[in-house]
Amino acid sequence: MTTVAAYAAPAAKAPLERTTIERRAVGEFDVLIDIEFAGICHSDIHQAREGWGTAIFPMVPGHEIAGVVSEIGPGVTKYAVGDRVGVGCMVDSCRECDNCKAGLQQYCTGSGGPTWTYNAVGKDGQPTYGGYSQKVVVDENYVVRIPDGLPLDVAAPLLCAGITTYSPLKHWNAGPGKKVAVVGLGGLGHMGVKIAAALGAEVTVLSQSLRKKDDGLKLGATHYYATSDPKTFEHLEGTFDIILNTVSAPLDFDAYLSLLKTDGAMVNVGIPEEPVHILLSSVFGNRRSLSSSGIGGIPETQEMLDFCAEHNLGAEIELIGADQINEAYERVVNSDVRYRFVIDTATI
Ligand code: NAP
Ligand code: ZN
Ligand code: ZN
């Protein structure tokens, strides 16, 4: 066991504070990672504040982890000391169900599903702790390689925001000739814009206001509309092949579904804390689909990192010290993030 400095929420809705946690001894197939950077995802806030239901405390959030391997177990074959690596939302799964065998570990149907990086219990019966800490021990099969061309700080957010947008954009065939709308220009949304544009799609941002319009166009969007303006919905009716909704709060889904073409798909990746309602008439008229997607499997996460390195796509980040985490949480909740806060874990 190793004692490691971390930032934790001691209880639901309590501010995060510095603490220490124990990491397990490096096992046969484990790698020890010296964490350099950890992104702040809105999911960290939903969980630290119990917005999604009862959680495990103390909680060390963080599932956008980038660092360097500093020790390996005797059975490790994929990584060596010094390798640049990342860890996302999962640190284990059953490895035997059809989804695990297909590389879709995020949809593991084994008992308990995937082992989440934090706010979960590992196979050793101990709580898992995330990336707001200086070191983590992870089985090599749940670690990915960060290509040399990607700096670790801008790569960290790709481990959740990158894969959560890449996976549905690929699955619903975003590419040349396709019109993609990204709803919400936050952490996920800004990566959705970059990745959809790199895939060759024509990208529109639908944001609450026009205040981030210049940024949206620089990130790769061709069009940018304010959803606070009712004319936006009239003007864009029946326009999109794909709508990627990244908003953390409930929306008027019927209004957004009306923007899809016949056979268009709205893919929801935002996970609001309250239920949403839709009228079935919003989908049946034009054979529209309403779907959702959760992060991505380990092989696709590696594919996404390689794609981002090839296209020179890192996240737009604001690097912060650990003592600014609570302030950053408030800014994320207020949609005041451009576009991902990343913790320099050396400051913990
Ligand atoms: P974020 O950085 O806070 O971005 C969310 C964006 O949604 C905001 O920047 C804002 O964009 C818009 N928004 C916020 N409140 C709104 C409201 N009341 N009405 C309309 N728009 C609003 O959050 P994130 O880290 O990207 O995460 C977004 C959501 O995805 C969260 O619910 C998170 O838990 C979820 N998530 C899901 C997965 C998955 O696997 N499915 C993975 C990661 C995260 P504008 O200012 O441009 O309007
Ligand atoms: Zn996340
Ligand atoms: Zn499984």
Side-chain angles (χ1 to χ4, degrees), residues 42-43 46 185 187-188 207-208 212 246 269 271 293 295 340:
H42 206 123
S43 302
H46 289 303
L185 195 66
L188 266 55
S207 179
Q208 293 167 94
K212 295 179 277 192
T246 74
V269 290
I271 312 175
S293 180
I295 47 171
R340 202 54 141 185

Side-chain angles (χ1 to χ4, degrees), residues 174-178 195-203:
K178 293 289 174 71
I195 292 169
L199 289 167
E202 182 181 318
V203 183

Side-chain angles (χ1 to χ4, degrees), residues 168-186:
L169 287 167
K170 289 284 285 194
H171 185 78
W172 275 272
N173 300 313
K178 293 289 174 71
K179 291 189 177 178
V180 174
V182 175
V183 190
L185 195 66

Side-chain angles (χ1 to χ4, degrees), residues 93-97 100 108-110:
S93 64
C94 86
R95 311 178 192 209
E96 284 164 5
C97 72
C100 280
C108 174
T109 56

Side-chain angles (χ1 to χ4, degrees), residues 4-21 23 44 48 56-62 118 128-133 322 325-326 329 343 348:
V4 172
Y7 254 69
K13 302 187 178 77
L16 278 77
E17 54 190 41
R18 190 179 186 280
T19 186
T20 57
I21 54 169
R23 293 298 190 186
D44 299 346
I56 302 171
F57 294 93
M59 181 189 295
V60 178
Y118 67 87
T128 56
Y129 294 121
Y132 301 4
S133 61
I325 292 172
N326 293 302
Y329 272 26
I343 304 160
I348 295 175

Side-chain angles (χ1 to χ4, degrees), residues 2-344:
T2 320
T3 304
V4 172
Y7 254 69
K13 302 187 178 77
L16 278 77
E17 54 190 41
R18 190 179 186 280
T19 186
T20 57
I21 54 169
E22 298 298 325
R23 293 298 190 186
R24 68 171 183 258
V26 176
E28 189 174 2
F29 301 106
D30 284 339
V31 299
L32 174 67
I33 301 167
D34 287 350
I35 301 174
E36 294 196 7
F37 299 101
I40 293 180
C41 176
H42 206 123
S43 302
D44 299 346
I45 305 172
H46 289 303
Q47 291 177 88
R49 297 183 174 179
E50 284 195 330
W52 290 341
T54 310
I56 302 171
F57 294 93
M59 181 189 295
V60 178
H63 56 210
E64 294 185 334
I65 299 171
V68 176
V69 174
S70 58
E71 190 184 330
I72 59 170
V76 168
T77 56
K78 296 179 178 157
Y79 298 101
V81 170
D83 284 356
R84 303 161 80 250
V85 293
V87 177
C89 299
M90 295 174 285
V91 289
D92 213 336
S93 64
C94 86
R95 311 178 192 209
E96 284 164 5
C97 72
D98 289 348
N99 287 342
C100 280
K101 285 187 186 148
L104 296 168
Q105 295 88 349
Q106 78 275 32
Y107 304 131
C108 174
T109 56
S111 109
T115 304
W116 304 115
T117 302
Y118 67 87
N119 192 21
V121 176
K123 282 182 181 159
D124 57 1
Q126 298 302 310
T128 56
Y129 294 121
Y132 301 4
S133 61
Q134 294 194 316
K135 294 173 195 286
V136 65
V137 178
V138 184
D139 183 291
E140 64 168 337
N141 293 302
Y142 295 81
V143 172
V144 285
R145 187 176 294 282
I146 297 179
D148 284 339
L150 279 177
L152 291 182
D153 54 355
V154 301
L158 302 179
L159 276 302
C160 178
I163 184 60
T164 302
T165 50
Y166 180 85
S167 183
L169 287 167
K170 289 284 285 194
H171 185 78
W172 275 272
N173 300 313
K178 293 289 174 71
K179 291 189 177 178
V180 174
V182 175
V183 190
L185 195 66
L188 266 55
H190 95 288
M191 284 313 308
V193 171
K194 286 193 181 204
I195 292 169
L199 289 167
E202 182 181 318
V203 183
T204 299
V205 174
L206 301 176
S207 179
Q208 293 167 94
S209 71
L210 294 179
R211 86 197 147 90
K212 295 179 277 192
K213 181 173 178 182
D214 291 348
D215 289 350
L217 300 180
K218 270 190 226 139
L219 293 168
T222 310
H223 315 281
Y224 200 108
Y225 292 90
T227 52
S228 52
D229 181 353
K231 285 204 280 304
T232 294
F233 289 88
E234 286 165 34
H235 181 66
L236 295 175
E237 190 180 339
T239 300
F240 300 108
D241 298 285
I242 303 165
I243 299 176
L244 182 65
N245 174 29
T246 74
V247 172
S248 46
L251 292 179
D252 176 356
F253 272 61
D254 300 305
Y256 287 87
L257 286 163
S258 75
L259 308 184
L260 289 172
K261 286 181 183 169
T262 300
D263 283 332
M266 174 154 167
V267 188
N268 195 67
V269 290
I271 312 175
E273 297 177 3
E274 302 82 21
V276 293
H277 301 280
I278 66 153
L279 293 170
L280 286 176
S281 55
S282 302
V283 283
F284 78 69
N286 299 61
R287 203 164 57 187
R288 293 166 173 145
S289 309
L290 174 60
S291 192
S292 70
S293 180
I295 47 171
I298 300 295
E300 197 176 37
T301 303
Q302 187 63 62
E303 179 188 307
M304 174 278 306
L305 286 169
D306 296 343
F307 176 88
C308 286
E310 192 187 320
H311 293 267
N312 205 12
L313 307 180
E316 304 300 311
I317 65 165
E318 191 172 327
L319 195 62
I320 61 167
D323 59 354
Q324 293 169 281
I325 292 172
N326 293 302
E327 191 188 317
Y329 272 26
E330 288 311 313
R331 287 184 53 196
V332 172
V333 168
N334 293 322
S335 302
D336 179 25
V337 51
R338 296 193 184 200
Y339 283 88
R340 202 54 141 185
F341 290 108
V342 172
I343 304 160
D344 176 352

